[in-house]
Amino acid sequence: MPTNRTFTIIKPDAVLDGFTGSMIQQIEDAGFRIVAIKKIKLSPEEAGRFYAVHAARPFFQSLCDHMSSNHIIPMVLEKENAVEDFRTLIGATNPEQAAEGTVRKRFARSIESNAIHGSDSDENAAIESAFFFTDRELNP
Ligand code: GDP
């Protein structure tokens, strides 16, 4: 059943580049409401657990190193059709292929340092939200 929630992370590159405010503005302007938000730094081991599904990919170690290199901003967002609409808002994984005006087109550095994460299903949104937030934080 669709939950109308999705999960996102502003990645270390975008936090370091000073894009947090502009990215949240774009997200809110697109109709998403912030349910939960925090700023934290993952250990490489935690990044590995978050991205475990990619463990066999050649870029896995590099991805985990990047995601644990500095602070990130995980958020849970609410909107009708949240997962699909948010994936459209952020654009393609590779910013060179992302549509004009999308978050990744505007703020990403590269295919790896691509500014933002967005869950790809309702199921993964719930799993990823629970990775970072308690039940109490998710049901304020
Ligand atoms: P997403 O759903 O658009 O985030 O893309 P994926 O789930 O396929 O990949 C997860 C993350 O791994 C991406 O957001 C990128 O940060 C990184 N990534 C994906 N493909 C590549 C690649 O070909 N090379 C590198 N270095 N990183 C990649």
Side-chain angles (χ1 to χ4, degrees), residues 5 20 34 47 54-55 63 73 97 117 120 140:
R5 282 190 178 189
T20 301
I34 298 172
H54 293 306
L63 175 63
I73 299 176
Q97 284 153 20
H117 168 81
D120 62 4

Side-chain angles (χ1 to χ4, degrees), residues 69-112:
S69 65
N70 225 300
H71 288 88
I72 60 171
I73 299 176
M75 292 186 279
V76 178
L77 304 172
E78 202 162 59
K79 181 188 175 297
E80 207 175 297
N81 202 35
V83 166
E84 192 184 341
D85 286 2
F86 195 72
R87 297 279 293 188
T88 302
L89 182 71
I90 68 176
T93 307
N94 185 347
E96 285 177 18
Q97 284 153 20
E100 212 54 54
T102 57
V103 177
R104 282 170 167 164
K105 185 69 172 188
R106 293 179 66 196
F107 301 110
R109 295 181 187 176
S110 67
I111 189 167
E112 180 172 277

Side-chain angles (χ1 to χ4, degrees), residues 32-52:
F32 292 86
R33 190 179 73 81
I34 298 172
V35 176
I37 181 169
K38 63 176 67 166
K39 182 174 184 178
I40 63 162
K41 188 167 184 286
L42 293 179
S43 68
E45 187 270 336
E46 287 168 329
R49 275 198 288 125
F50 182 78
Y51 277 116

Side-chain angles (χ1 to χ4, degrees), residues 5-7 36 38 49-50 74-76 119 122-139:
R5 282 190 178 189
T6 192
F7 171 80
K38 63 176 67 166
R49 275 198 288 125
F50 182 78
M75 292 186 279
V76 178
S119 301
D122 287 315
E123 187 190 3
N124 283 338
I127 292 168
E128 292 167 3
S129 298
F131 189 95
F132 287 95
F133 296 100
T134 63
D135 278 352
R136 189 174 171 196
E137 288 168 327
L138 293 173
N139 300 289

